[in-house]
Structures are given as structure tokens and as C-alpha cells.
């Protein structure tokens, strides 16, 4: 069974959406560098990402956010990301 | 009350404190400060407001704790911050009893100094916990932390030497001498993790978390500067600058309340 693909699955677009959600809390520079760092650590392609990749990325960012803004706000942040990056977080078929 | 109105309240409080205290440095014997804002009125009002803002900061810090689950590395930081502010509040309350109820000069040393000294140790530990948790989260390397730490230590050793040498040279009863020495020393120690956090949280510039830490760190710096100046002015008997000290300490408590209020607003979503 292959990985699901995010409709707008260009890595750059996915990162931009995530940065927009995180930047009110972290500032744009930290939002950008955090997202880039975790993309690099996960070995994500510079071209496209799968839905599973997005899930893994969101999970890592959520772990960091819990230290900064607590669990409730982190859950809200994750929901916002999922609404902007469709298919992220949906269980695999 | 909305976040914007809270911001207005804190800003106006700072402005009012500056407007009331700063002119007194230059014109302490003017009619304004002898007949209208006469010493006891100013002292009592300031004491009540300082206690109020410290109490607010204490409650707000503790209210932040439940939003960080058990095992979250930053949870102890908020607990210690609340505990440190609570101890500081108790010290300020003891001063309030002398100033408002008994209406006599606060003895030095007093029970307040015990609370203040213990509070400083707790607050230092709180800042170290925050530093450790945020360094890991924000991906700051040990090398970078060490470099900033060494610079902060060097700077504060220099400041400490300048401030502490005249104090050490003065003759005073043993306990008083110890306190005059330990206050600025503890403040310099507080400023080491404070400066490191300032460097770290600068990476969050533009975000709401950066504002929280700017406010909290301003509070810590005001406390440290106030204590250091108090020890310096007391030793050199520069009482004319007391209004400046009152302003710095009042500002510190407003910044603590403001920063914790902002953090709670983020946590409440």
C-alpha cells in the first residue's frame, strides 16, 4: 500500500502553511527555522511530501510547542495546521 | 477584561509611577511632595500597589502551571516562578506592615530580608529550568549556551566588582554587612540565566512568546538593578535617589504581572 499524497504536496507550500500557523507564537524567523530543521531531521524531500511525512513533521513541531505554549494551545495549533494542509493526521487506509 | 485593556492598565501603571516618582528626585522638597503627595501617602499607596501587582503576578504564574502537563520540562519552571514570586510577595507584605500599619521605618535587617533572599534563590533556579527547557526545544547547542553564559558571567563579575568593592570596604554590623553583600551578589547570579534567556528568547522575535519573555526579563532586571542600587545608595548614603529605587521596584512588579498575564492569555488560547 503506497503513502497517501497531500493534495498540495509541494514541500515548500506545506512548510509555508505551517510557518503561517506557528509565526504568531514563535515569530516568523523561528517558525521558519524550526520547520526547516525538522524537515531536515526527518529527511523530507525538497520537492514533495506525503501525508505521512506531514504527520511526522506536525508531531515533532507539536512536541516543541507543548513546552512553549502548553497542551491546549498546541492542540489548537495542530488543528489549524491540519485544516490548512489537508490529509495531515488522517489515519492510513 | 480583554488582553488589550490589560496591556493598557499595565502601561498606564508604569507611566503613572514614572510621572509620580521621577520629579521627586529633582524636587523632593516641593509643595507637591510635602503637601499633596506627602511622604506617608506616597509610601502607603506605593506599598499597596506593589503588593497588588506582586500578588497578581504570583496568582497568574501559578495559573499557568496546569496548562503544562506532568512531565513537561517547563512545568517546574512555572511552579518555581510562582513560588519565588510568592516569597517575594511575603517580603513585600512585611515591608507593608511597617510602612502602612506601624508607620515606622523598616528595620534593616528584618523578616522581609529573609523572604527576599530565599525568593532570589528560588527565582534563580526557575530561570535555569526555563533556560534548559527552552534551549532544548529551540535547538540551541551547548556550545552556544556556554559562550553566552561565559560572556554574561564576565560582564556581571565586572559589575559585581564595581558595586561590591565599596560595600565590602564599609564598616557595618555583621548581618547588615552580609545582606548588603548578598543582595547584589544574588542579583548578579540572577542576571546570568536572565541574560542567557534574553539571548535565547530573542530568537522568538515577532511572536507573542517573545513579548512574554521581554516583560518577565525586564521585571528580573529591574529587581536586580533595584537591589544593586539599593545596596550601593545605602552604603554611600545617597538617600536623595530613593524615589528612583521606588520606581524601579514598582516597575519590576508591573512587568512580572504583565508578562505572566500575557503568558496565560496564550495558554488560554
Amino acid at each position: 500500500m503506497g503513502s497517501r499524497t497531500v493534495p498540495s504536496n509541494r514541500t515548500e507550500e506545506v512548510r509555508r502553511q505551517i510557518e503561517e500557523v506557528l509565526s504568531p507564537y514563535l515569530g516568523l524567523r523561528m517558525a521558519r527555522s524550526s520547520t526547516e530543521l525538522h524537515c531536515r531531521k526527518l529527511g523530507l524531500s525538497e520537492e514533495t511530501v506525503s501525508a505521512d511525512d506531514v504527520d511526522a513533521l506536525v508531531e515533532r513541531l507539536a512536541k516543541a510547542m507543548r513546552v512553549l505554549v502548553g497542551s491546549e494551545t498546541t492542540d489548537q495549533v495542530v488543528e489549524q495546521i491540519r485544516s490548512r494542509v489537508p490529509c495531515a493526521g488522517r489515519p492510513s487506509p | 477584561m480583554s488582553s488589550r485593556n490589560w496591556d493598557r492598565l499595565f502601561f498606564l501603571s508604569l507611566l503613572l509611577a514614572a510621572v509620580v516618582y521621577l520629579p521627586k528626585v529633582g524636587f523632593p522638597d516641593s509643595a507637591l511632595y510635602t503637601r499633596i503627595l506627602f511622604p506617608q501617602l506616597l509610601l502607603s499607596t506605593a506599598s499597596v500597589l506593589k503588593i497588588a501587582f506582586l500578588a497578581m503576578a504570583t496568582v497568574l504564574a501559578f495559573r499557568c502551571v496546569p496548562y503544562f502537563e506532568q512531565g513537561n520540562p517547563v512545568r517546574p519552571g512555572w511552579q518555581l516562578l510562582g513560588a519565588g514570586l510568592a516569597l517575594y510577595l511575603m517580603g513585600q507584605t512585611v515591608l507593608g506592615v511597617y510602612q502602612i500599619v506601624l508607620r515606622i521605618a523598616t528595620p534593616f535587617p528584618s523578616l522581609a530580608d529573609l523572604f527576599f533572599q530565599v525568593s532570589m534563590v528560588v527565582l534563580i533556579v526557575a530561570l535555569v529550568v526555563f533556560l534548559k527547557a527552552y534551549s532544548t526545544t529551540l535547538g540551541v547547542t551547548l556550545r552556544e549556551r556556554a559562550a553566552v553564559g561565559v560572556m554574561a558571567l564576565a560582564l556581571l563579575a565586572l559589575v559585581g566588582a564595581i558595586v561590591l568593592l565599596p560595600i565590602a570596604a564599609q564598616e557595618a554590623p555583621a548581618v547588615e554587612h552580609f545582606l548588603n553583600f548578598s543582595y547584589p551578589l544574588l542579583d548578579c547570579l540572577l542576571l546570568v540565566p536572565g541574560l542567557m534567556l534574553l539571548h535565547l528568547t530573542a530568537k522568538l522575535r515577532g511572536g507573542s512568546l517573545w513579548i512574554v519573555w521581554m516583560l518577565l526579563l525586564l521585571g528580573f532586571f529591574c529587581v536586580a538593578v533595584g537591589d544593586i542600587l539599593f545596596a550601593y545608595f545605602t552604603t554611600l548614603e545617597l538617600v536623595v535617589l530613593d524615589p528612583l529605587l521606588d520606581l524601579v521596584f514598582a516597575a519590576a512588579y508591573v512587568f512580572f504581572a504583565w508578562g505572566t498575564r500575557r503568558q496565560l492569555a496564550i495558554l488560554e488560547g
Side-chain angles (χ1 to χ4, degrees):
Chain A
M1 195 177 302
S3 287
R4 296 164 290 129
T5 304
V6 177
S8 172
N9 66 346
R10 288 177 57 235
T11 306
E12 191 188 320
E13 177 59 22
V14 167
R15 280 197 343 212
R16 193 182 67 79
Q17 294 290 339
I18 293 174
E19 284 160 15
E20 272 185 27
V21 173
L22 296 181
S23 60
Y25 303 99
L26 307 183
L28 183 59
R29 202 172 131 206
M30 178 53 69
R32 195 163 280 168
S33 65
S34 288
T35 312
E36 276 173 17
L37 176 71
H38 288 295
C39 282
R40 213 165 39 246
K41 284 189 174 179
L42 286 167
L44 302 188
S45 160
E46 292 283 330
E47 302 297 323
T48 58
V49 286
S50 66
D52 291 336
D53 289 336
V54 173
D55 285 345
L57 177 60
V58 169
E59 200 181 304
R60 282 188 168 232
L61 289 167
K63 193 177 167 194
M65 287 298 283
R66 275 191 196 97
V67 176
L68 298 167
V69 298
S71 305
E72 278 182 38
T73 304
T74 298
D75 290 343
Q76 288 173 18
V77 165
V78 168
E79 277 310 304
Q80 280 177 50
I81 292 173
R82 285 176 178 163
S83 69
R84 285 169 171 248
V85 184
C87 296
R90 276 201 242 135
S92 301
Chain B
M1 194 150 69
S2 70
S3 285
R4 186 166 282 187
N5 284 336
W6 277 112
D7 286 345
R8 284 194 188 113
L9 171 73
F10 292 125
F11 177 74
L12 286 172
S13 301
L14 283 172
L15 194 61
L16 185 65
V19 163
V20 166
Y21 282 113
L22 281 176
K24 197 179 177 195
V25 176
F27 309 100
D29 300 320
S30 65
L32 176 67
Y33 292 109
T34 53
R35 293 199 198 130
I36 303 169
L37 296 176
F38 50 90
Q40 185 57 48
L41 175 67
L42 205 55
L43 192 63
S44 300
T45 309
S47 188
V48 167
L49 289 173
K50 282 178 189 175
I51 289 169
F53 278 112
L54 259 179
M56 195 188 302
T58 304
V59 167
L60 290 170
F62 277 126
R63 277 184 63 191
C64 289
V65 173
Y67 288 93
F68 299 98
E69 69 283 4
Q70 293 283 353
N72 190 316
V74 86
R75 185 179 163 108
W78 288 103
Q79 290 169 322
L80 287 165
L81 179 63
L85 289 172
L87 286 164
Y88 215 93
L89 171 63
M90 285 160 81
Q92 191 63 48
T93 304
V94 168
L95 292 185
V97 169
Y98 284 108
Q99 290 162 352
I100 304 169
V101 178
L102 301 175
R103 297 195 173 199
I104 57 173
T106 309
F108 182 67
S110 71
L111 184 60
D113 296 298
L114 177 64
F115 285 124
F116 287 140
Q117 298 260 308
V118 175
S119 139
M120 292 298 284
V121 174
V122 173
L123 289 173
I124 289 168
V125 177
L127 289 188
V128 170
V129 169
F130 281 121
L131 190 61
K132 195 162 174 263
Y134 284 3
S135 294
T136 309
T137 300
L138 299 176
V140 175
T141 62
L142 187 59
R143 178 183 261 181
E144 192 179 343
R145 262 190 281 168
V148 176
V150 164
M151 281 193 288
L153 261 170
L155 174 66
L156 291 163
L158 180 64
V159 169
I162 293 168
V163 171
L164 292 172
L165 283 175
I167 294 172
Q170 293 290 321
E171 284 186 11
V175 175
E176 203 177 303
H177 200 70
F178 168 76
L179 286 174
N180 275 336
F181 213 81
S182 64
Y183 270 117
L185 182 64
L186 283 171
D187 289 310
C188 287
L189 290 175
L190 179 76
L191 285 176
V192 173
L195 284 171
M196 292 172 76
L197 267 170
L198 181 69
H199 172 260
L200 184 65
T201 54
K203 295 174 190 287
L204 300 168
R205 233 171 11 256
S208 52
L209 284 164
W210 178 67
I211 297 174
V212 168
W213 280 99
M214 282 303 101
L215 293 168
L216 289 176
L217 291 171
L218 272 169
F220 284 115
F221 289 137
C222 284
V223 161
V225 166
D227 278 344
I228 290 169
L229 289 178
F230 175 79
Y232 206 59
F233 292 166
T234 306
T235 304
L236 299 177
E237 295 178 1
L238 294 169
V239 290
V240 70
L241 294 171
D242 277 356
L244 198 59
L245 288 180
D246 287 329
L247 175 61
V248 169
F249 281 120
Y253 307 155
V254 173
F255 284 131
F256 284 144
W258 201 346
T260 47
R261 175 73 200 111
R262 275 265 184 160
Q263 175 70 52
L264 190 63
I266 292 171
L267 298 174
E268 289 175 336

